[in-house]
Amino acid sequence: MNEEFEMTCFQIITYVGTARTCFINAIQSAKEGNFEEAEELIKQGDEAFSQGHHGHADLIAKDANGELPKEGTMILMHAEDQLMSAEGFRIIAEEFIDLYKKIS
């Protein structure tokens, strides 16, 4: 497997995992009434997610140019799964933050 490809996949997993953690922590902060902290955690999560998304976009461009190895697709599928999971958690976090603001 191409080492650069593998490294990019692991970077995606790392960045979006960090983002997902930030989004989950934002929900917990909002639950405790710490809305400024929750918004800061969303911002931090967005920054980490963006880094992971850029890595994914680079892989898509390389794939379009036929530059990706044919083996190792499981790690890419895992990275994409984590990317989608983090995106879903962001949406849920925003909804929970809004809800906690309304009930407080």
Side-chain angles (χ1 to χ4, degrees), residues 7 10 25 45 55 60 66 69 104:
M7 188 61 112
F10 282 120
N25 289 340
I60 290 172
S104 68

Side-chain angles (χ1 to χ4, degrees), residues 4-58:
E4 180 184 351
F5 168 75
E6 187 176 295
M7 188 61 112
T8 302
C9 288
F10 282 120
Q11 286 174 343
I12 293 167
I13 293 165
T14 300
Y15 286 129
V16 300
T18 297
R20 188 177 56 236
T21 298
C22 288
F23 300 146
I24 292 168
N25 289 340
I27 294 170
Q28 294 301 316
S29 292
K31 184 178 180 179
E32 295 169 3
N34 300 324
F35 299 112
E36 286 182 28
E37 181 179 298
E39 294 300 328
E40 179 59 31
L41 285 163
I42 292 289
K43 182 180 174 183
Q44 290 174 16
D46 285 345
E47 291 170 5
F49 184 85
S50 180
Q51 290 178 302
H53 190 267
H54 287 297
H56 186 250
D58 289 343

